[in-house]
Amino acid sequence: MFCNQCEQTAKGTGCTQIGVCGKQPDVAALQDLLIYACQGLSVAAHAVDQKGQHDEATDDFVYAAVFSTLTNVNFDAGRFPALINKAVELRECMKARAASLGASLPATPALAFAPAADIPGLVKQGEEHAINAVDPNADVQSLKQTVIYGIKGVAAYADHAAILGKRDHAVAAYIYEALAKALRTDLDLAAWVDLAMRCGQANLKAMELLDAANTGAYGHPTPTPVPIGHRKGKCILVSGHDLRDLETLLQATEGKGIDIYTHGEMLPCHGYPKLKAYKHFFGHYGTAWQNQIKEFAEFPGAILMTTNCIQKPAASYMPNIFTTGLVGWPGAVHVGNQDFSAVIERALALPGFTDDLDKGEVLVGFGHNAVMNVAGAVIDAVKAGKIRHFFLVGGCDGAKPGRNYYTEFVEKAPADTVILTLACGKFRFFDKKLGDIGGIPRLLDIGQCNDAYSAIQIALALAGAFNCGVNELPLSLILSWYEQKAVAILLTLLSLGIKDIRLGPSLPAFVTPNVLNFLVENFNIKPISTPDEDLKAILG
């Protein structure tokens, strides 16, 4: 086993015995094999694309299959053989289609790969096709892995958008081209830099689609106070990212005397008008994904995991946890087809909260639409010198030491600065009372990690208002990363030419010194240092 796709990888180099995330070697091999199977499919699909044709169902499959290999999604080895075999089945369909169109296919073993008949055989094949063992040039390999990991993030957002009916084949077309090219060893560094920047642009399109999907289905988020305590009654906790799963559960529990709470990145869902209209959609419980073992053990109801962020469930709450969609953990009950009756039954059987607890509120709902509605006041405050600087402090949270930097940074940011935040990195400081500037809250929660799209739209609007480039704005990006969606977002920011990003708590293990030097020279990307040093460097 070798896996270095996340920030917490063992010793800062790679997990070789078992994943820090809990991933077993067999699952790691099966995930690599699934990527390889999707690469073979991509070779054929790219050839069909070149003839001006494509298949929407194949696009949706690839999004879901690649997403299932992202960190903290599916740890259940038994779920991967069907995906691998489906990828090969679709590959054969695409090969036949390519032939009928007169499209030529390159000579690559991935087009002839035949899956083994059992899991041990598939695991052996996966070990032979590990993502990290493709190219003899270390810098090319570094960029290949950056692109593949970025694609995993793109696929996640594209999958969410497709579930809500929003698609653009240009996203899948890029994925096919890049995954197909990742099988080659004849492309130089310049070609891989280009593919990395195009990965960022594909992710921008995927996030735009997801923004349109979420706001089209549930309305534009509006500033909303969310209780972080609880009230007496039966309860279900929803974690992950998926809005449709939450809506379906809200519909299924209406009138049943069950309150619904969010956990982790589901917190911003309280800002969507259609979702917050449900009276039993009560509040938020807990913090970020890495604290779930303690927090879930103390939750007195059922727990539904949507999309990624699952950790190994403790025995104390294993009977209470349910997975859905692409999420999987061996031994956890998996519910499909939007049927959450088992979750509801478990919630009714458990005691629920036996008292009321008021722990205050936090504000959510500052997406690009809400911020643009008060853009005039923001611009006036900047021009009047009331707002000196904006900091986007957000990204992934995690358990690795060093993330207290982000809490301290926000606490030490001067009173005439505004903190924009998104993703689960906000849980380092989401309940801080930072006050306001002329009625504008100093802490603005933009939303989930995919709502980096909102942050980009806000930055572009401000740049337009001040007639300058984004890099000339009084705006600094202080980002934390953990998994592959963060890689995709970083590539998006770089593809837009955004510079001077501070990244932490550590740099990716798959980035070689030469690739890092390229990022420093071209984008002035830098690691975080200390809050005091970074604030002084930014503000003077």
Side-chain angles (χ1 to χ4, degrees):
M1 173 183 180
F2 184 87
C3 182
N4 63 358
Q5 70 178 9
C6 87
E7 188 267 334
Q8 292 183 186
T9 195
K11 299 179 181 178
T13 56
C15 295
T16 57
Q17 301 297 321
I18 185 175
V20 171
C21 64
K23 182 164 59 176
Q24 298 295 321
D26 60 343
V27 172
L30 291 168
Q31 289 182 348
D32 279 357
L33 188 61
L34 179 54
I35 291 296
Y36 182 69
C38 286
Q39 286 181 283
L41 168 56
S42 293
V43 171
H46 180 55
V48 170
D49 267 349
Q50 298 301 98
K51 293 295 183 178
Q53 294 192 23
H54 69 275
D55 178 66
E56 190 176 272
T58 300
D59 295 353
D60 287 355
F61 169 80
V62 169
Y63 297 150
V66 173
F67 184 11
S68 70
T69 71
L70 189 144
T71 300
N72 289 7
V73 177
N74 191 356
F75 295 82
D76 189 347
R79 297 263 298 278
F80 285 98
L83 290 169
I84 293 166
N85 282 286
K86 182 66 175 179
V88 171
E89 176 189 328
L90 291 173
R91 181 197 72 197
E92 292 304 298
C93 292
M94 278 293 176
K95 285 168 61 177
R97 192 166 180 177
S100 71
L101 295 169
S104 60
L105 295 175
T108 171
L111 283 173
F113 159 68
D118 55 22
I119 288 181
L122 291 171
V123 169
K124 186 174 185 300
Q125 289 177 321
E127 291 168 348
E128 295 168 355
H129 296 290
I131 288 174
N132 68 298
V134 179
D135 202 288
N137 183 312
D139 296 327
V140 168
Q141 179 60 29
S142 174
L143 284 170
K144 271 188 184 180
Q145 286 184 247
T146 300
V147 168
I148 291 174
Y149 297 154
I151 285 171
K152 292 187 179 193
V154 176
Y157 296 139
D159 178 70
H160 283 303
I163 285 171
L164 290 173
K166 291 291 183 180
R167 299 173 175 87
D168 187 327
H169 178 65
V171 176
Y174 166 78
I175 291 176
Y176 295 145
E177 179 187 356
L179 285 181
K181 286 182 174 177
L183 292 166
R184 296 167 54 177
T185 58
D186 61 334
L187 299 181
D188 61 14
L189 283 171
W192 281 103
V193 168
D194 176 66
L195 281 166
M197 294 301 99
R198 288 173 55 205
C199 183
Q201 287 298 305
N203 188 58
L204 180 63
K205 171 55 69 175
M207 291 193 299
E208 179 185 12
L209 289 169
L210 183 51
D211 177 78
N214 286 339
T215 57
Y218 307 113
H220 282 280
T222 58
T224 304
V226 182
I228 54 175
H230 60 251
R231 66 185 179 191
K232 185 177 180 179
K234 305 288 186 178
C235 50
I236 295 175
L237 186 63
V238 185
S239 192
H241 301 77
D242 197 273
L243 273 64
R244 190 185 69 163
D245 285 338
L246 174 61
E247 179 192 31
T248 303
L249 183 65
L250 286 167
Q251 291 170 342
T253 51
E254 199 163 23
K256 288 186 169 15
I258 301 173
D259 285 327
I260 306 300
Y261 294 79
T262 55
H263 177 269
E265 287 226 57
M266 296 301 285
L267 168 61
C269 295
H270 290 275
Y272 288 90
K274 187 173 179 181
L275 297 177
K276 68 181 181 180
Y278 289 91
K279 298 189 183 307
H280 62 301
F281 188 28
F282 178 69
H284 186 79
Y285 173 91
T287 52
W289 66 272
Q290 79 277 1
N291 300 319
Q292 65 187 250
I293 291 177
K294 178 180 185 297
E295 293 171 353
F296 286 5
E298 296 171 353
F299 188 76
I303 303 161
L304 178 65
M305 298 299 301
T306 74
T307 70
N308 56 313
C309 290
I310 193 170
Q311 280 190 301
K312 180 181 180 179
S316 62
Y317 64 83
M318 177 65 92
N320 303 339
I321 197 162
F322 298 82
T323 62
T324 193
L326 300 176
V327 189
W329 191 280
V333 175
H334 188 75
V335 292
N337 300 317
Q338 296 280 288
D339 179 5
F340 298 136
S341 55
V343 185
I344 294 169
E345 288 173 11
R346 184 62 181 165
L348 291 172
L350 289 166
F353 289 110
T354 57
D355 63 350
D356 294 330
L357 177 63
D358 184 357
K359 295 175 64 176
E361 298 173 330
V362 294
L363 270 176
V364 302
F366 293 97
H368 60 91
N369 192 66
V371 174
M372 288 304 99
N373 284 338
V374 295
V378 173
I379 292 165
D380 288 345
V382 174
K383 289 180 176 178
K386 295 178 181 178
I387 295 178
R388 180 174 23 156
H389 207 84
F390 296 89
F391 293 106
L392 175 60
V393 185
C396 308
D397 204 359
K400 190 173 181 178
R403 292 180 185 270
N404 285 340
Y405 164 95
Y406 299 94
T407 309
E408 189 179 343
F409 187 98
V410 168
E411 290 174 339
K412 290 184 173 181
D416 58 356
T417 62
V418 171
I419 310 295
L420 308 173
T421 191
L422 49 77
C424 61
K426 70 168 133 286
F427 289 109
R428 294 280 166 171
F429 49 81
F430 81 124
D431 55 354
K432 302 290 181 185
K433 304 305 179 186
L434 301 184
D436 64 86
I437 300 174
I440 301 166
R442 285 194 59 229
L443 181 60
L444 301 176
D445 183 356
I446 297 173
Q448 295 182 336
C449 56
N450 54 278
D451 290 311
Y453 176 78
S454 267
I456 291 168
Q457 296 309 304
I458 291 168
L460 292 175
L462 288 173
F466 290 109
N467 195 28
C468 67
V470 171
N471 290 316
E472 300 169 277
L473 286 171
L475 169 68
S476 299
L477 278 63
I478 317 295
L479 305 181
S480 55
W481 82 283
Y482 172 69
E483 40 89 324
Q484 298 80 66
K485 288 186 287 184
V487 175
I489 291 169
L490 178 62
L491 291 177
T492 296
L493 297 172
L494 298 181
S495 75
L496 292 170
I498 295 175
K499 298 183 177 182
D500 300 315
I501 298 170
R502 283 173 166 78
L503 184 66
S506 60
L507 297 177
F510 51 84
V511 172
T512 60
N514 287 335
V515 172
L516 177 59
N517 187 55
F518 173 85
L519 295 174
V520 172
E521 288 183 352
N522 289 273
F523 300 101
N524 200 28
I525 194 167
K526 62 197 74 176
I528 58 173
S529 56
T530 68
D532 289 320
E533 291 171 345
D534 288 345
L535 282 166
K536 182 178 180 181
I538 294 167
L539 298 176

